[in-house]
Amino acid sequence: MNAVETFQKDFEALDRAGGPLQRLRRAGWDRFAAHGIPTTREEAWRFTDLAPLARQPFDLGRPSTNGIGSPPSLAPGLVFVDGHYRKDLSVLPDGVHVSSLAGALREDPRLMEGVGAPGEGEPFVALNTAFLEDGAFLRVAKGSRLPAPLHLLFLGTTKAAHPRNLYLIEEGAEATVVETYASAGDTPHLTNAVSDIRVGPGASLAHYRLQVEGPSFHFGAVRARVGKGARFVSNNVVSGGALTRNDITGSLDGEGAHCTLNGLYVIRGTQHVDNFTRLEHRMPRCESHELYKGVLDGRASGVFTGRIHVFEDAQKTDAYQASANLLLTDTATVDSQPQLEIYADDVKCSHGSTVGQLDKDALFYLRSRGLPEAAARHVLVRAFAGDVADRLEIQAVRERVDRILSERLGG
Amino acid sequence: MKDRKPLLEIRNLRARIDEKPILNGIDLVIGPGEVHAIMGPNGSGKSTLANVLAGREGYEVTDGTVTFLGKDLLGLEPDKRAGEGVFLAFQYPVEIPGVNNSYFLRAGLNAIRQYRGMEPLDAVDFLKLAKEKARLLDVDDAFLSRAVNAGFSGGEKKRNEIFQMAVLEPRLAVLDETDSGLDIDALKIVAHGVNSLRSPERGFLVITHYQRLLNHIVPDFVHVLDKGRIVRSGGKELALELEEKGYSWLEKEPAGAR
């Protein structure tokens, strides 16, 4: 059985259970089935070959109470294994309206209506919707503020996991959410996660996404709709996975909305990371700032696509995008492409993209001051990654990124 | 009488870049406490000598030896040379945006201390040391919190080199055209820094095109380099003679004449 046949078998089994989500799931499946696993003939997948995924079947992860080694945790928070909430491993923070999505759907089966539908060209969101069961649900009520960052840990074993997260940040509310994706072992698994986000008028959400999995296939979609005068910050850090594709979308839906996309990936060996970001400027006077950086060692390959779509009504748009990549070897590769589509005439849009290697003169300078080669390289890589790393406002996350940089450069 | 064992002994050093011979048999001995100046026209091999001593990539030593405190210097990686006590003040100090000067220097100093089997300095002790050296050299403390040479003026970069030298306390300092691009005031400041670091244990190799610097850093010995060889050696008065006559006389005398 190949991957698609396995998905179909598991979808049909889930479909037989029926329930209030059946219609949405079927819509997801139909859309996925019509598209299939994307190929490199598709523009949006040109540099990411999914043939290895198509050949490798992963059975659907089911709720379990199996023991998990020692998960790398940023607790307290919610823990999910193979996409399902694990009450026994979780520590719910006090005074926060957070639960599993499965639990929230039991109370309100219509919760995902209007937010859950996959769009055109989102085959993995469609697949996730076909298997929509569980994930994290957060509601931050109007005018209130989450007292501390909410930590969510998603652990994969050997299965296919399709966690679906929904964050509703209501008018004037503030929150920080940290999603960490990790592996329970060192076997391959599939993660296909989707986070649907609503940031209400004047509200603010800082969203962190740390992907430190083992040899997984990882698909991550973040779909944020940002309201009038609201702020959304996405911090997307990748060091894990055999093959990773992230689709990060910020839709600036209300006047004066503000969106920041920070990205950092540090990969080696034969790891592949494809970050596809989309900023949709739909209304006037919105701002977006985007900075993506990659550090690639070994034969690793990276792809960055930065699409900025400025709609006709979005006058006075201010959009800035930069991507920079550091290749530590001659065998690492990067494809970086900005895609600007601008239909308004009074806008400020700029972008820049660089790919380079470590500066030999700087390396010699550091070594002449006593730093051994590995340490000198580390200093320069940290300096390169620094402007993204230093934007990570949570100290624990920043430290984690520093650890990743140290580990990655050690070997 | 203190130990007169030489710091640095260069014997018949020959080196090339991209197959092109640049150094054609250099012999030079520097003892502790001595300041040697190397002068010479453009292209005579002055900077190559500095870079070969510091271990920069791209220079191929084809013959000869360099012994530093009894050890074969040429067999050591650049960082180990620093650990042994060799310091190069760069002609073109490198800008490293994103790396704080203080972090950079502490990392260097602690790597050198580790090489010598000493305990690393913590941030507090390092800052104390760095501030003391900054005061000694009349360097603004603000230097420490800026990124390494990023956006520095030419004079600031050279002062930063001397400041680094003061913190790292080498046994041998090689100054590669430290005077280039400096106005007279900046030059005086840099020379003052170097002079304050002169000591009976420390040797200096001051590489310069112009005699001007040597009015402020008075050398014990002056050597004239031409076509990759030392063609004349003498006392500080040789520099004055060069100032007067320029380098054109080199064309007339046979290479190798002393």
Side-chain angles (χ1 to χ4, degrees):
Chain A
M1 223 182 251
N2 66 24
V4 172
E5 287 160 357
T6 307
F7 291 144
Q8 176 148 14
K9 163 194 72 112
D10 285 328
F11 170 72
E12 283 166 1
L14 191 62
D15 188 62
R16 277 194 291 277
L21 291 168
Q22 191 178 49
R23 214 167 50 140
L24 188 59
R25 283 193 195 122
R26 281 183 175 175
W29 177 257
D30 289 347
R31 187 154 267 208
F32 173 75
H35 194 136
I37 291 177
T39 69
T40 52
R41 288 189 295 279
E42 291 172 54
E43 179 62 27
W45 296 87
R46 200 145 60 98
F47 300 108
T48 295
D49 183 5
L50 297 179
L53 172 70
R55 284 193 297 269
Q56 190 161 355
F58 291 102
D59 287 326
L60 183 63
R62 302 309 307 151
S64 76
T65 50
N66 297 340
I68 292 299
S70 47
S73 175
L74 292 166
L78 280 67
V79 177
F80 300 80
V81 177
D82 292 334
H84 295 274
Y85 178 56
R86 284 287 294 262
K87 193 172 179 217
D88 55 324
L89 300 174
S90 300
V91 181
L92 284 177
D94 291 334
V96 179
H97 189 135
V98 59
S99 69
S100 71
L101 186 70
L105 284 166
R106 276 193 293 275
E107 282 175 31
D108 178 6
R110 302 169 62 93
L111 195 58
M112 291 304 291
E113 280 178 24
V115 295
E120 192 80 43
E122 295 184 306
F124 286 94
V125 174
L127 184 66
N128 173 287
T129 307
F131 292 107
L132 199 155
E133 279 187 284
D134 206 356
F137 174 67
L138 170 71
R139 185 194 295 275
V140 186
K142 186 174 170 178
S144 64
R145 186 164 178 267
L146 220 58
L150 173 66
H151 287 282
L152 307 172
L153 175 63
F154 299 88
L155 285 172
T157 62
T158 59
K159 306 278 202 242
H162 303 273
R164 185 65 163 252
N165 306 312
L166 178 61
Y167 313 133
L168 304 175
I169 317 303
E170 296 181 348
E171 185 175 344
E174 279 178 49
T176 297
V177 174
V178 184
E179 298 172 4
T180 302
Y181 294 86
S183 300
D186 52 12
T187 44
H189 57 95
L190 169 66
T191 302
N192 177 30
V194 178
S195 294
D196 281 313
I197 296 170
R198 293 289 179 275
V199 190
S204 168
L205 175 70
H207 181 252
Y208 290 75
R209 199 176 195 292
L210 308 182
Q211 203 268 81
V212 294
E213 290 177 348
S216 63
F217 292 93
H218 184 103
F219 300 87
V222 174
R223 307 194 301 171
R225 306 199 74 112
V226 189
K228 186 175 176 180
R231 299 176 73 86
F232 172 66
V233 180
S234 157
N235 302 288
N236 174 20
V237 179
V238 182
S239 71
L243 186 155
T244 299
R245 163 72 175 233
N246 290 316
D247 286 85
I248 313 283
T249 303
S251 181
L252 298 149
D253 288 3
E255 197 170 333
H258 204 293
C259 186
T260 300
L261 305 183
N262 297 319
L264 177 65
Y265 63 101
V266 185
I267 53 175
R268 61 180 172 185
T270 57
Q271 284 182 289
H272 178 82
V273 171
D274 180 348
N275 283 310
F276 200 123
T277 66
R278 295 172 181 82
L279 283 160
E280 294 171 358
H281 281 262
R282 296 172 185 276
M283 297 296 279
R285 277 174 284 279
C286 292
E287 266 184 59
S288 65
H289 298 270
E290 177 166 18
L291 177 63
Y292 263 71
K293 286 202 164 185
V295 179
L296 299 96
D297 204 348
R299 296 172 53 216
S301 51
V303 185
F304 170 76
T305 308
R307 182 174 291 174
I308 299 176
H309 187 148
V310 180
F311 288 72
E312 208 176 328
D313 291 339
Q315 300 296 355
K316 307 281 181 197
T317 284
D318 187 347
Y320 168 79
Q321 176 191 100
S323 106
N325 297 281
L326 181 61
L327 305 179
L328 298 179
T329 61
D330 294 335
T331 46
T333 59
V334 161
D335 290 287
S336 176
Q337 41 183 0
Q339 293 183 350
L340 274 58
E341 290 176 51
I342 301 172
Y343 300 100
D345 47 23
D346 183 13
V347 303
K348 211 165 82 185
C349 272
S350 61
H351 65 89
S353 172
T354 62
V355 178
Q357 302 202 321
L358 279 183
D359 178 351
K360 282 202 167 73
D361 289 334
L363 205 53
F364 175 63
Y365 194 54
L366 288 162
R367 296 189 69 192
S368 78
R369 298 303 182 248
L371 287 167
E373 186 171 10
R377 287 168 72 90
H378 188 193
V379 166
L380 292 179
V381 172
R382 179 64 181 78
F384 171 81
D387 51 357
V388 178
D390 295 342
R391 287 177 193 206
L392 307 174
E393 285 175 358
I394 302 175
Q395 196 189 344
V397 174
R398 217 166 40 239
E399 284 170 4
R400 174 140 210 171
V401 168
D402 275 334
R403 258 200 325 277
I404 289 169
L405 286 170
S406 308
E407 285 166 16
R408 294 274 127 168
L409 297 165
Chain B
M1 196 63 202
K2 62 180 182 291
D3 180 15
R4 297 304 302 168
K5 208 174 79 177
L7 274 176
L8 183 76
E9 261 187 284
I10 303 175
R11 296 292 177 208
N12 188 35
L13 181 64
R14 291 167 191 268
R16 59 187 184 185
I17 309 171
D18 298 335
E19 306 288 307
K20 188 181 168 212
I22 308 286
L23 301 181
N24 297 306
I26 302 241
D27 290 284
L28 178 66
V29 178
I30 298 179
E34 295 174 0
V35 175
H36 290 244
I38 289 210
M39 301 183 69
N42 290 330
S44 57
K46 301 189 300 289
S47 283
T48 297
L49 177 61
N51 283 313
V52 166
L53 292 177
R56 190 193 278 267
E57 264 182 41
Y59 296 84
E60 187 192 351
V61 175
T62 52
D63 201 4
T65 57
V66 177
T67 311
F68 182 71
L69 292 169
K71 280 191 186 160
D72 170 23
L73 192 68
L74 298 177
L76 299 176
E77 296 284 301
D79 44 288
K80 299 208 162 62
R81 298 184 194 197
E84 292 291 337
V86 176
F87 179 89
L88 172 64
F90 281 52
Q91 183 178 3
Y92 303 108
V94 183
E95 297 195 13
I96 313 182
V99 179
N100 168 295
N101 227 345
S102 159
Y103 174 83
F104 161 72
L105 254 186
R106 183 155 82 96
L109 178 63
N110 280 337
I112 289 171
R113 289 175 68 94
Q114 189 183 354
Y115 182 83
R116 295 177 185 166
M118 296 159 75
E119 288 292 309
L121 285 189
D122 65 24
V124 175
D125 287 341
F126 172 77
L127 202 62
K128 214 174 106 190
L129 171 79
K131 285 194 166 171
E132 182 191 307
K133 300 291 184 185
R135 205 162 40 244
L136 187 74
L137 301 182
D138 269 334
V139 168
D140 193 343
D141 282 2
F143 245 49
L144 285 166
S145 51
R146 290 171 67 180
V148 179
N149 294 326
F152 281 31
S153 70
E156 284 177 326
K157 283 181 183 171
K158 298 300 174 78
R159 280 166 76 178
N160 196 16
E161 294 293 287
I162 305 305
F163 174 59
Q164 291 172 33
M165 180 166 85
V167 171
L168 299 180
E169 300 187 311
R171 291 297 305 278
L172 174 72
V174 179
L175 277 57
D176 186 8
E177 305 216 16
T178 296
D179 51 334
S180 69
L182 295 188
D183 62 26
I184 187 67
D185 292 330
L187 185 128
K188 279 182 179 166
I189 291 168
V190 164
H192 162 74
V194 171
N195 288 329
S196 66
L197 296 172
R198 288 178 77 154
S199 82
E201 293 78 36
R202 187 168 292 144
F204 285 87
L205 183 59
V206 180
I207 290 171
T208 180
H209 187 84
Y210 302 103
Q211 186 268 338
R212 189 179 68 152
L213 177 67
L214 305 181
N215 289 335
H216 302 281
I217 304 173
V218 180
D220 301 305
F221 302 93
V222 175
H223 311 277
V224 182
L225 194 64
D226 184 44
K227 298 187 182 72
R229 303 185 68 175
I230 290 175
V231 293
R232 271 185 77 179
S233 294
K236 61 178 184 264
E237 64 289 343
L238 179 56
L240 293 166
E241 193 186 326
L242 284 171
E243 177 74 356
E244 203 178 300
K245 291 165 52 179
Y247 290 111
S248 55
W249 58 273
L250 288 170
E251 303 296 327
K252 293 164 196 132
E253 289 187 19
R258 315 235 345 163

